[in-house]
Amino acid sequence: MTSIIKLHCLSGAGDESPPCYVLQVDEFKFLLDCGWDEKFDMDFIKELKRHINSIDAVLLSHSDPLHLGALPYAVGQLGLNCPIYATLPVYKMGQMFMYDLYQSHRNVSDFDLFTLDDVDAAFDRITQLKYNQSVDMKGKGHGLRITPIPAGHSLGGTVWRIVAPGEEDIVYAPDFNHKKERHLNGCEIEKIMRPSLLLLGAANADYVQQRRRLRDEKLMKWMSDKLTRAFEGARSNPFALRHLQLCHSVVEVTRTPGPKVVLASFPDLEAGFARDLFLLWAPNNLNSIVLTARTSPGTLARDLIDKGGDRTIELMVKKRVRLEGAELEDFLQQQRMKINNTDKEDIGGISSDSESEGELEMCVVTGRHDIPVRHDTRPTGCFKTNKRHHAMYPFHEERTRADDYGEIIRVGRNCVSKL
């Protein structure tokens, strides 16, 4: 039987926006990646929200925010509750990426798009798979099978192979490298024979990489003769990184003496330690910046790639500071107003607007004892104006104690009596 296959592009088609697609096979819908750009585009979220309740499974291909950045928001704020599949490295590194993303923005602004609890909730839903481990879908996805294949682009990077009933393969390969690297094998995409549908990323299709021999020669030219002789003679590893030091703040970096190379997170330079170090070191022409990725248009890193760095750049610097004086008082006043508005909403209670027989009407008695009460009889009059509250007799637990012989003593206000 031939399946009906539809593909809807939420993001990542025709431009450099993050990948996010809805693949429908008959009645079953896959969400292929859930990336978010560096500016947290909310128009994309509005489009994602329209499909969120119909998603049956999510397939993640890579661990960076451009492939899974919107996942915590989708789970924590939009209510995405379907199974999510990824390899173990994508699970581990993706969670660290999102922790870092949240903390970097939270350190300089009131970032409230998602919380660390949303990150944990999203990654708790992930089923971790090994390469070439097949999983059969259940329910209305009966007959569908998914298999992760090495993408060769990053650790844990995945090309997803989806087998539909009565069809050939459906292959989702947004980012992959078919060449073998020093630390990763290449993607064996040629072993997938004639898929019926191939979803392929072509961002670097026109990029011609130099041969490895030429790249190795360039690497050897900045190495000293002493280092080269040590490698050729004693076969000592010049990249053992004996002088590697982990720093947890910019202050720790600046305290490290001597010339140094700093690896900082977020290649877009929009947040985090990478941006902090850029602001600190960019004015000195003795410092250099190495950009390891081509980020989205509109980011600081992309601006440096397109226009170069030998110029004056105006940047907005965000910083969290303690409120003092009038600013602190205004903030406290706003918080008090929010609390008062919340209390007024609670006093309104809960009432029924149904006219059907047998409907239960509940109201809330506010104060020290917020107890829902059922009316014995239905009130008369318009339900909008009828807001009666039934007072409840508060119950106070009596204080008791035992005497030296174990007898219980009731402690009252004005007397003490034995039971």
Side-chain angles (χ1 to χ4, degrees):
M1 182 178 65
T2 303
S3 298
I4 299 177
I5 301 175
K6 298 180 181 179
L7 179 68
H8 183 76
C9 298
L10 304 182
S11 177
D15 53 21
E16 299 181 46
S17 56
C20 185
Y21 315 97
V22 177
L23 174 66
Q24 180 177 353
V25 183
D26 292 331
E27 299 299 322
F28 196 89
K29 288 186 177 182
F30 292 99
L31 183 65
L32 305 178
D33 282 328
C34 193
W36 212 353
D37 63 3
E38 297 85 352
K39 301 295 185 180
F40 304 104
D41 181 21
M42 294 305 296
D43 292 335
F44 155 70
I45 293 297
K46 294 178 182 179
E47 183 68 15
L48 176 61
K49 187 176 181 180
R50 294 178 52 246
H51 300 269
I52 204 72
N53 294 326
S54 62
I55 301 299
D56 299 298
V58 180
L59 305 182
L60 302 177
S61 63
H62 295 278
S63 58
D64 59 316
L66 291 179
H67 290 84
L68 53 75
L71 191 63
Y73 188 93
V75 173
Q77 306 299 325
L78 301 182
L80 179 68
N81 60 358
C82 63
I84 305 172
Y85 298 93
T87 59
L88 176 60
V90 170
Y91 169 82
K92 290 291 187 181
M93 295 195 302
Q95 193 172 36
M96 294 299 103
F97 272 128
M98 298 312 299
Y99 283 161
D100 192 14
L101 179 66
Y102 171 84
Q103 196 62 50
S104 296
H105 285 275
R106 186 66 179 175
N107 286 341
V108 297
S109 64
D110 293 330
F111 184 80
D112 57 358
L113 292 178
F114 57 84
T115 65
L116 293 180
D117 290 336
D118 294 335
V119 176
D120 291 336
F123 282 83
D124 286 344
R125 303 195 65 86
I126 291 182
T127 300
Q128 304 169 33
L129 302 179
K130 298 179 180 178
Y131 284 137
N132 299 314
Q133 177 184 353
S134 298
V135 176
D136 294 325
M137 300 292 99
K138 299 179 181 179
K140 57 184 179 181
H142 179 72
L144 290 173
R145 174 176 295 179
I146 61 173
T147 306
I149 300 173
H153 178 68
S154 63
L155 287 175
T158 305
V159 169
W160 285 100
R161 180 180 182 181
I162 306 171
V163 179
E167 294 285 338
E168 297 181 5
D169 299 342
I170 301 173
V171 177
Y172 174 61
D175 295 286
F176 68 95
N177 185 6
H178 63 281
K179 293 184 177 181
K180 183 178 180 179
E181 301 179 60
R182 294 189 181 275
H183 66 297
L184 292 173
N185 290 326
C187 176
E188 299 178 348
I189 196 169
E190 66 275 3
K191 290 186 177 180
I192 303 175
M193 301 300 294
R194 301 180 63 84
S196 59
L197 178 61
L198 178 61
L199 306 176
L200 192 66
N204 294 317
D206 57 350
Y207 175 72
V208 179
Q209 191 177 38
Q210 291 182 334
R211 293 182 178 273
R212 179 180 296 178
R213 180 175 57 82
L214 298 177
R215 286 180 282 149
D216 291 345
E217 288 179 358
K218 289 184 178 180
L219 177 65
M220 297 295 289
K221 289 180 179 179
W222 66 262
M223 295 175 61
S224 65
D225 295 337
K226 180 180 177 181
L227 190 64
T228 304
R229 288 194 301 269
F231 176 71
E232 294 177 350
R235 290 296 178 183
S236 61
N237 185 4
F239 303 108
L241 304 180
R242 291 174 297 173
H243 303 287
L244 179 65
Q245 180 177 344
L246 297 179
C247 298
H248 300 87
S249 66
V250 176
V251 176
E252 292 185 24
V253 174
T254 56
R255 289 176 180 174
T256 305
K260 47 189 169 286
V261 176
V262 181
L263 304 179
S265 57
F266 294 107
D268 50 61
L269 299 179
E270 289 296 310
F273 294 141
R275 186 180 181 91
D276 296 338
L277 290 174
F278 176 83
L279 295 173
L280 183 64
W281 288 348
N284 190 341
N285 57 7
L286 297 179
N287 296 322
S288 299
I289 303 172
V290 179
L291 301 175
T292 60
R294 190 179 185 86
T295 56
S296 302
T299 60
L300 174 57
R302 184 60 177 271
D303 181 68
L304 293 175
I305 292 175
D306 295 340
K307 300 180 182 179
D310 190 13
R311 55 195 171 93
T312 301
I313 303 175
E314 294 184 2
L315 296 176
M316 178 182 295
V317 180
K318 298 180 180 179
K319 185 182 298 184
R320 292 180 69 92
V321 296
R322 291 183 177 274
L323 295 178
E324 297 178 353
E327 291 181 339
L328 177 59
E329 184 60 32
D330 292 340
F331 175 78
L332 296 177
Q333 181 65 24
Q334 293 176 4
Q335 296 300 312
R336 286 192 290 266
M337 292 178 61
K338 290 181 181 179
I339 295 175
N340 292 336
N341 292 335
T342 303
D343 292 341
K344 290 179 181 179
E345 293 178 358
D346 293 340
I347 291 175
I350 306 173
S351 61
S352 172
D353 58 355
S354 175
E355 296 298 328
S356 61
E357 294 295 332
E359 186 75 19
L360 294 180
E361 183 174 354
M362 307 289 288
C363 68
V364 176
V365 180
T366 59
R368 293 184 59 191
H369 308 276
D370 296 337
I371 306 174
V373 184
R374 174 180 176 179
H375 290 294
D376 294 333
T377 58
R378 292 185 60 83
T380 59
C382 178
F383 71 91
K384 293 184 179 179
T385 59
N386 195 326
K387 296 183 179 179
R388 293 187 301 167
H389 292 262
H390 288 247
M392 298 292 295
Y393 182 79
F395 172 75
H396 299 282
E397 184 177 0
E398 295 182 351
R399 294 180 297 165
T400 61
R401 71 182 185 186
D403 61 8
D404 295 337
Y405 299 96
E407 295 188 19
I408 302 299
I409 300 176
R410 179 187 294 117
V411 182
R413 292 185 177 179
N414 301 317
C415 65
V416 177
S417 61
K418 287 189 176 181
L419 296 178

